[in-house]
Amino acid sequence: MSYFSINDRFKQHGLMIVISSPSGAGKSTLSRLLWKDKRMNLALSVSITTRERRPSEVEGIHYYFISMKEFEHLRDNDKLIEWAEVHGNYYATLRTVVTELLEKGQDMLFDIDYQGVDQLQKQMPYDIISIFILPPSMKELKSRLHCRAEDSEGAIKTRLENSRIEIQYWQTYDYILINKSIDKSLEAIASIIIAERLKRQRQPGLKKFIDDLMDEGS
């Protein structure tokens, strides 16, 4: 059963649930675990990127890997709903995929950074829920990046330097989580999504239901 099955008939437009964090703090892991939980009924927005694919990554699952020329064509023809340069590479989200699913009432997960979040907040402020994930400490963040063993020392250094920039944007997010435990963080994010789905303003069809309810037996 979906966590939203009770009131789903009143919902007319999908939500964008954005999860951001410094590299290594857990946003990608949390996003994929939430997506795999069928009870949450979430679609995962798969970004495109110009960076090289890591050995553990799968095309179309983790990212769509494209050339710089392909990225520029999409960007210059307004095919992207958001894009950003991160660690010297470009990341973006295709516009048509997002708009089509949201119009069908499908909630979507986004694993993007603060630059992309800022663009989405300006374009669709009422449809976005933003969650920022913090590491327990910078020492732990560094350890996680090294344990991943998929980046060079130079790349890890760049990611750690950029993490200090990213963390400064924490106040632009709706919710902040310190990721000490994947299980507890998952539980917290699920609670946030369920509560946001049940907000009165996100269920415009409720008015007719209430009117019909009040007419019963009168």
Side-chain angles (χ1 to χ4, degrees), residues 176-206:
I176 309 296
L177 293 177
I178 300 174
N179 186 22
K180 296 180 180 179
S181 161
I182 287 292
D183 289 340
K184 289 182 179 179
S185 294
L186 276 173
E187 184 179 349
I189 295 172
S191 297
I192 289 168
I193 295 171
I194 294 165
E196 288 284 346
R197 284 170 167 173
L198 293 173
K199 277 187 174 179
R200 172 180 47 79
Q201 59 267 36
R202 299 200 194 281
Q203 302 182 78
L206 269 176

Side-chain angles (χ1 to χ4, degrees), residues 141-157:
L141 184 66
K142 184 177 181 179
S143 174
R144 290 178 186 179
L145 288 172
H146 277 100
C147 288
R148 194 160 66 185
E150 292 187 313
D151 294 306
S152 66
E153 282 298 321
I156 290 174
K157 182 179 179 181

Side-chain angles (χ1 to χ4, degrees), residues 50 68 71 75 82-92 113-116 119 162 166:
T50 60
M68 188 63 195
F71 167 79
R75 180 194 61 193
E82 63 83 23
W83 64 273
E85 182 180 2
V86 185
H87 311 309
N89 297 296
Y90 288 90
Y91 295 79
D113 86 328
Y114 69 93
Q115 299 173 79
Q119 293 172 55
N162 288 342
E166 295 173 77

Side-chain angles (χ1 to χ4, degrees), residues 10-45:
F10 305 128
K11 186 160 157 288
Q12 296 181 2
H13 197 270
L15 290 171
M16 296 184 291
I17 299 104
V18 177
I19 300 178
S20 302
S21 77
S23 182
K27 67 180 183 299
S28 296
T29 299
L30 289 166
S31 294
R32 296 193 185 285
L33 289 172
L34 284 164
W35 171 62
K36 288 180 179 179
D37 186 345
K38 300 305 179 184
R39 296 171 300 173
M40 295 304 300
N41 189 26
L42 296 166
L44 184 63
S45 175

Side-chain angles (χ1 to χ4, degrees), residues 8 32 35 37 40-41 51 53 58 65 68 77 80 85 87 96 106-109 117 120 130 153 177 186 193:
D8 196 39
R32 296 193 185 285
W35 171 62
D37 186 345
M40 295 304 300
N41 189 26
R51 76 161 168 77
R53 183 173 66 87
V58 179
F65 298 91
M68 188 63 195
N77 287 276
L80 306 175
E85 182 180 2
H87 311 309
T96 54
Q106 175 66 60
D107 293 341
M108 298 186 69
L109 271 175
V117 174
L120 292 181
S130 57
E153 282 298 321
L177 293 177
L186 276 173
I193 295 171

Side-chain angles (χ1 to χ4, degrees), residues 11-18 41-43 45 81 93-110 120 123-129 202:
K11 186 160 157 288
Q12 296 181 2
H13 197 270
L15 290 171
M16 296 184 291
I17 299 104
V18 177
N41 189 26
L42 296 166
S45 175
I81 196 169
T93 304
L94 292 169
R95 183 181 299 279
T96 54
V97 175
V98 173
T99 55
E100 287 175 5
L101 286 175
L102 291 179
E103 286 171 3
K104 292 178 181 177
Q106 175 66 60
D107 293 341
M108 298 186 69
L109 271 175
F110 293 77
L120 292 181
Q123 293 182 65
M124 309 170 78
Y126 301 108
D127 299 319
I128 184 171
I129 302 165
R202 299 200 194 281

